[in-house]
Amino acid sequence: MGHFEAFSLALIQGLTEFLPISSSAHLILPSQLLGWEDQGLAFDVAVHLGTLLAVILYFRKELIILLKAWLGSIFKRQHNQDSRLAWMIVLATIPACIFGLLMKDIIELYLRSAWVIAATTIVFGLLLWWADKKGSRSKDEHQVCWKQALYIGIAQALAVIPGTSRSGITMTAGLQLGLTREAAARFSFLMSIPIILLAGSYLGLKLFTQAAPINYSFFGIGMLVSFVSAYACIHLFLKWVTRVGMLPFVIYRLLLGAGLVVFLLI
């Protein structure tokens, strides 16, 4: 992998991690369509770290409030809307952890193909369009109850299938439940923190135990580029999503899926 490929993959990771268009699909496709070599375990750790730092830094004020409220609910039995939201995020994280552990090997063997990505890109793109059009968009993230949090969490678990998009499927579920576009996005982004942290920790442990060689130049590029692009993506998405809605991303997914089908059939 050269420096251009490292920069490109880190940029793709940063931009697509939080947009409803599937980061896994965009990272798998260059190797399948362009013949790029696998970026390696150390680079995966770098881009996970970069996107994690971006979302933590962007929501730093909210995270401090949520963490204090969550700890207060445990040790002081003090409950408020912030502690409740923190618990809903914890609950929504559980299904993805269970599903990811149980299905990881199956997905690696059978579902990381361009055909699967084409199908999930189109199907879940249409589902996003339907939820955005039909949802009442009347609630904020603090109004999510435990059943709704579990539902969004189960939706997040489906994102282990390439092409689904973790942010896309969780925003779809949030919109279906009546959240506003911004609330669905914010809840999705906050949910991403424990998931990215767990995924990055798992990859970091593998990197440590396998004693794989680390190219620190690529590692630095991956972390820096993914951090900057992810931070900008979160900021711009939350600023624009209320006005532009999900349709531009739906159109992009449909074009990408159709383009993949044509490419595979030629």
Side-chain angles (χ1 to χ4, degrees), residues 49-263:
L49 181 58
T51 53
L52 177 63
L53 291 175
V55 69
I56 288 176
L57 182 62
Y58 190 86
F59 290 104
R60 60 192 181 279
K61 294 180 181 179
E62 291 91 338
L63 289 174
I64 292 172
I65 292 171
L66 290 175
L67 182 59
K68 287 182 178 179
W70 184 67
L71 293 174
S73 71
I74 295 175
F75 297 108
K76 298 181 180 179
R77 303 297 180 183
Q78 296 175 347
H79 300 281
N80 56 35
Q81 66 172 7
D82 293 316
S83 65
R84 186 171 176 275
L85 176 58
W87 279 112
M88 294 306 101
I89 293 170
V90 172
L91 177 61
T93 303
I94 295 173
C97 296
I98 296 174
F99 191 77
L101 289 173
L102 294 177
M103 300 296 293
K104 180 180 180 299
D105 292 337
I106 294 175
I107 290 166
E108 290 288 337
L109 285 173
Y110 301 111
L111 298 181
R112 293 176 68 86
S113 72
W115 277 112
V116 171
I117 292 172
T120 53
T121 297
I122 293 172
V123 170
F124 288 109
L126 291 172
L127 188 59
L128 175 62
W129 170 78
W130 177 83
D132 190 42
K133 185 176 181 180
K134 297 296 183 180
S136 64
R137 301 201 296 271
S138 59
K139 303 175 183 177
D140 67 22
E141 63 269 28
H142 288 93
Q143 294 174 276
V144 174
C145 68
W146 72 266
K147 291 181 180 179
Q148 293 171 332
L150 190 59
Y151 178 75
I152 299 174
I154 293 171
Q156 180 171 242
L158 296 176
V160 297
I161 303 173
T164 301
S165 172
R166 192 210 61 80
S167 58
I169 194 66
T170 52
M171 289 182 203
T172 297
L175 289 168
Q176 286 178 326
L177 296 172
L179 295 183
T180 66
R181 288 166 176 160
E182 185 176 359
R186 290 175 64 85
F187 193 76
S188 173
F189 294 159
L190 290 171
M191 284 174 63
S192 74
I193 295 174
I195 288 296
I196 298 174
L197 178 61
L198 290 170
S201 299
Y202 172 75
L203 292 173
L205 182 62
K206 283 182 64 178
L207 181 65
F208 178 77
T209 54
Q210 293 179 5
I214 299 176
N215 186 315
Y216 289 100
S217 174
F218 292 158
F219 190 94
I221 291 172
M223 187 172 71
L224 179 61
V225 174
S226 63
F227 167 78
V228 173
S229 55
Y231 190 94
C233 180
I234 294 170
H235 175 73
L236 294 174
F237 186 83
L238 289 174
K239 185 177 180 180
W240 292 340
V241 67
T242 301
R243 288 180 290 176
V244 304
M246 299 296 179
L247 186 58
F249 305 102
V250 172
I251 293 173
Y252 175 82
R253 291 183 68 122
L254 296 179
L255 291 174
L256 176 62
L260 278 173
V261 171
V262 172
F263 179 86

Side-chain angles (χ1 to χ4, degrees), residues 28-40:
I28 291 171
L29 289 175
S31 63
Q32 296 206 6
L33 302 183
L34 302 177
W36 289 7
E37 64 182 82
D38 183 82
Q39 59 265 32

